[in-house]
Amino acid sequence: MAESNFIDYVKILCRSGKGGAGSRHFHRAKYVPKGGPDGGDGGRGGHIILRGNPHLWTLLPLRYQRHIFATNGESGGAGRSTGKDGEDRIIEVPVGTAVFDADTGEFLAEIVEPYQEIYLLKGGKGGLGNWHFATATNRAPRYAQPGQPAVEKSVILELKLLGDVGLVGFPNAGKSTLLSSISAARPKVADYPFTTMEPSLGIVDYRDGKSFVMADIPGIIEGASEGKGLGLRFLRHIERNAVLLFLVSADSVDVKKDYEVLLNEVRTFNPELSDKSRVLAISKADILDDELREGISAELPKDIPTLFISSVTGQGLRELKDILWREINSDANLAKSTITHRPLDIRHRDPEEDNFIFEPAPVDDDEAEKELLTDEDWNDEFWDEESTVNPSEE
């Protein structure tokens, strides 16, 4: 994976801009005696904004841009002039990207639509100029508000492929072959384990011009939810799928046991995945005779749809599409959310990214106004501690 361009997990450091300080200027003109305070307000600090880009398919660009800082707002000026706002920093990410707090693992936000924007970190509000504080008893206030400080946070971005159906199976169960048989996707197919090294998507044509998206992930093995094999790294991609298609090879010693192992790994990775619709398909069914087929059928679970398929001969593929389409559009499936996020814990983290050491972040100490106010000069509305907001809340 080190040489692959498909990057679905990256850790970055973000910092919004701090607000500019209010001015303490007094109006001075030859023919205007006692001009009074006219210090302007400081400008707003820049925001950190996530934007969904439908033309991106990987987080690779962020591997080379670890620090993303917005600029600070400028200080207010004379004549009640407001300082210039800081420049926002927009982070372009693929659709399907989820954001987590790197320190706590808490889920923060997600991008699920093209061009969707989410304000990840708010820029600091600019301070008020001294003219706001002039009263009948205090006509020459010599103080102004400083700007609200910047917000700095380390975040982890996870890309989770958006697909209607997710393929789950052991290595060489025939997942990639199935995807290439019923869609235009051409994943690598070979006769050795872990041929599939990165997830891939395929659009499956259905009847009357309808279609759905199928996602293929690398094969998982027993213990994948604890970090064995490659499956743990890619299990996150099936969290967005509406239906999970479990694929077990017909040459398995115990089909039922293999299905139970796969289901247990999925549940261990994220217990809420057990609520998703499931379908069980026995692949490579062309190698079975009637007696073997009946023996396997007797052992299959009765609580989910099951069928035998062969990607080589086309056996059962039409019936498989019918079942998947019915499950995707079932009332029970549409009534519940198909996107599930679990907080990051030690099992779900990428050690290489978590151990990444950020270089010291430069801090701009050039402040035009240093004088601070007492606590009474600030109000609760100005000091809004909420740092992650949607544009509609601005």
Side-chain angles (χ1 to χ4, degrees):
M1 284 302 296
E3 299 178 356
S4 173
N5 287 332
F6 182 81
I7 303 298
D8 59 355
Y9 186 105
V10 68
K11 178 181 178 182
I12 61 176
L13 178 65
C14 302
R15 186 173 67 210
S16 63
K18 60 185 176 183
S23 173
R24 295 171 294 170
H25 189 271
F26 288 88
H27 181 70
R28 294 179 175 86
K30 182 176 181 180
Y31 301 106
V32 184
K34 301 180 180 179
D38 69 343
D41 302 338
R44 169 188 61 80
H47 299 311
I48 300 294
I49 303 174
L50 288 178
R51 177 188 293 168
N53 188 334
H55 305 294
L56 293 179
W57 64 281
T58 175
L59 296 174
L60 180 64
L62 294 177
R63 275 285 181 95
Y64 308 103
Q65 191 179 7
R66 297 288 188 166
H67 292 164
I68 300 180
F69 301 149
T71 60
N72 300 328
E74 295 183 0
S75 300
R80 300 188 182 183
S81 298
T82 302
K84 182 180 178 180
D85 291 341
E87 295 183 4
D88 299 334
R89 287 292 181 263
I90 298 178
I91 307 175
E92 300 273 358
V93 296
V95 176
T97 300
V99 188
F100 298 86
D101 189 305
D103 298 322
T104 65
E106 177 188 3
F107 170 73
L108 299 177
E110 62 179 337
I111 297 292
V112 295
E113 296 179 0
Y115 308 109
Q116 176 188 358
E117 289 189 354
I118 291 178
Y119 285 64
L120 183 62
L121 299 180
K122 284 180 61 176
K125 294 181 180 179
L128 299 179
N130 63 343
W131 73 272
H132 288 278
F133 305 103
T135 64
T137 58
N138 183 15
R139 298 184 179 183
R142 298 184 179 276
Y143 51 80
Q145 285 182 331
Q148 190 176 9
V151 179
E152 185 173 286
K153 185 185 293 290
S154 295
V155 298
I156 289 175
L157 303 180
E158 269 194 358
L159 174 59
K160 302 179 181 183
L161 297 182
L162 293 171
D164 300 304
V165 179
L167 289 171
V168 182
F170 289 111
N172 279 42
K175 301 185 300 301
S176 298
T177 305
L178 172 62
L179 185 63
S180 62
S181 299
I182 62 177
S183 75
R186 292 295 177 263
K188 183 179 180 180
V189 178
D191 59 354
Y192 55 86
F194 296 114
T195 309
T196 302
M197 296 294 289
E198 59 188 46
S200 57
L201 293 175
I203 299 177
V204 180
D205 291 328
Y206 192 57
R207 301 173 183 176
D208 303 324
K210 301 174 183 177
S211 63
F212 57 89
V213 179
M214 181 176 288
D216 177 26
I217 67 171
I220 64 177
I221 61 176
E222 187 171 6
S225 58
E226 303 297 331
K228 295 182 180 179
L230 299 176
L232 174 63
R233 181 167 185 173
F234 300 106
L235 276 172
R236 66 175 70 102
H237 294 287
I238 65 175
E239 290 183 305
R240 287 190 180 276
N241 303 142
V243 178
L244 301 182
L245 174 57
F246 289 82
L247 219 59
V248 179
S249 177
D251 57 8
S252 170
V253 177
D254 192 333
V255 172
K256 182 179 180 181
K257 181 180 178 181
D258 285 354
Y259 165 71
E260 291 175 347
V261 170
L262 292 171
L263 182 58
N264 180 67
E265 293 303 321
V266 170
R267 285 174 172 169
T268 303
F269 178 76
N270 186 347
E272 296 185 26
L273 289 178
S274 59
D275 296 331
K276 291 185 179 292
S277 299
R278 302 192 301 273
V279 176
L280 174 59
I282 311 303
S283 63
K284 307 178 185 179
D286 53 298
I287 67 175
L288 299 176
D289 55 25
D290 293 339
E291 183 179 354
L292 290 174
R293 187 189 300 268
E294 292 177 1
I296 294 177
S297 298
E299 299 179 355
L300 296 179
K302 308 301 181 183
D303 58 335
I304 64 171
T306 60
L307 75 164
F308 291 84
I309 65 171
S310 172
S311 301
V312 176
T313 64
Q315 173 188 343
L317 296 186
R318 179 175 299 179
E319 292 79 2
L320 176 62
K321 291 182 182 181
D322 291 337
I323 293 175
L324 292 176
W325 183 261
R326 184 176 67 247
E327 291 295 324
I328 292 171
N329 296 280
S330 65
D331 293 338
N333 191 42
L334 295 176
K336 59 188 177 182
S337 173
T338 59
I339 300 177
T340 306
H341 299 284
R342 75 286 176 272
L344 291 178
D345 61 27
I346 189 64
R347 295 180 297 112
H348 304 143
R349 291 178 176 266
D350 185 334
E352 180 181 351
E353 286 294 311
D354 280 354
N355 295 333
F356 182 85
I357 305 299
F358 293 111
E359 297 177 0
V363 178
D364 183 8
D365 291 327
D366 183 17
E367 299 181 18
E369 302 292 342
K370 297 278 187 181
E371 185 170 342
L372 302 178
L373 293 178
T374 62
D375 293 340
E376 289 76 7
D377 294 318
W378 298 96
N379 55 55
D380 293 336
E381 182 180 358
F382 186 86
W383 280 112
D384 181 12
E385 296 181 355
E386 199 66 35
S387 61
T388 303
V389 296
N390 286 319
S392 59
E393 298 177 62
E394 279 294 281

